[in-house]
């Protein structure tokens, strides 16, 4: 039902910036929480940043000085602005949303991921 499609990944040198976008569909009510996770080669998936429908945010310690999350619920889109990128940020970035369908059934949806590669 719910679909999330990420875009904006790419190849960038250390110190550069990228903005990721995640476009959602298949739901009416603003998800309670939307956010970004990432998985680097050989590593487990980790939380990057989340934002609730009320605007509360949560960031991983490794990115909180450099990344910003925002969401436009009218467009069903969540963004991740990544500044001062480091090689350690290289990973596949996944969008996530938790919310409810009109029926009241909960959903926990994931996008397909977008690759971010940061070179030295």
């Amino acid at each position: 039902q719910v679909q999330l499609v990420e875009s904006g990944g790419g190849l960038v040198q250390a110190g550069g910036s990228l903005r990721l976008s995640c476009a959602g569909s298949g739901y009416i009510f603003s998800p309670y929480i939307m956010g970004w996770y990432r998985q680097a080669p050989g590593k487990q998936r980790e939380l990057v940043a989340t934002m609730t429908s009320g605007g509360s945010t949560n960031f991983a310690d490794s990115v909180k000085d450099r990344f910003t999350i925002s969401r436009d619920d009218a467009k069903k889109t969540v963004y991740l602005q990544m500044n001062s990128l480091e090689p350690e940020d290289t990973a596949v970035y996944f969008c996530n949303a938790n919310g409810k369908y009109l029926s009241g059934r909960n959903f926990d949806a994931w996008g397909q991921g977008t690759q971010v590669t940061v070179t030295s």
Side-chain angles (χ1 to χ4, degrees), residues 33-113:
I33 189 167
M34 300 188 73
W36 295 89
Y37 293 73
R38 67 186 182 187
Q39 187 166 21
K43 301 290 184 65
Q44 295 188 127
R45 184 186 65 187
E46 66 173 347
L47 181 147
V48 178
T50 61
M51 178 176 280
T52 69
S53 59
S56 297
T57 58
N58 184 38
F59 294 91
D61 288 343
S62 60
V63 309
K64 62 183 178 182
D65 297 333
R66 302 178 293 118
F67 291 10
T68 300
I69 188 170
S70 60
R71 56 191 282 179
D72 184 341
D73 289 332
K75 296 181 179 179
K76 292 184 171 65
T77 302
V78 61
Y79 306 93
L80 184 69
Q81 179 67 47
M82 305 185 294
N83 299 321
S84 301
L85 283 162
E86 304 167 353
E88 292 74 20
D89 296 316
T90 295
V92 177
Y93 284 70
F94 297 92
C95 180
N96 173 249
N98 286 275
K100 288 188 175 184
Y101 296 112
L102 280 171
S103 66
R105 183 172 181 267
N106 295 322
F107 65 79
D108 180 12
W110 294 87
Q112 81 288 349

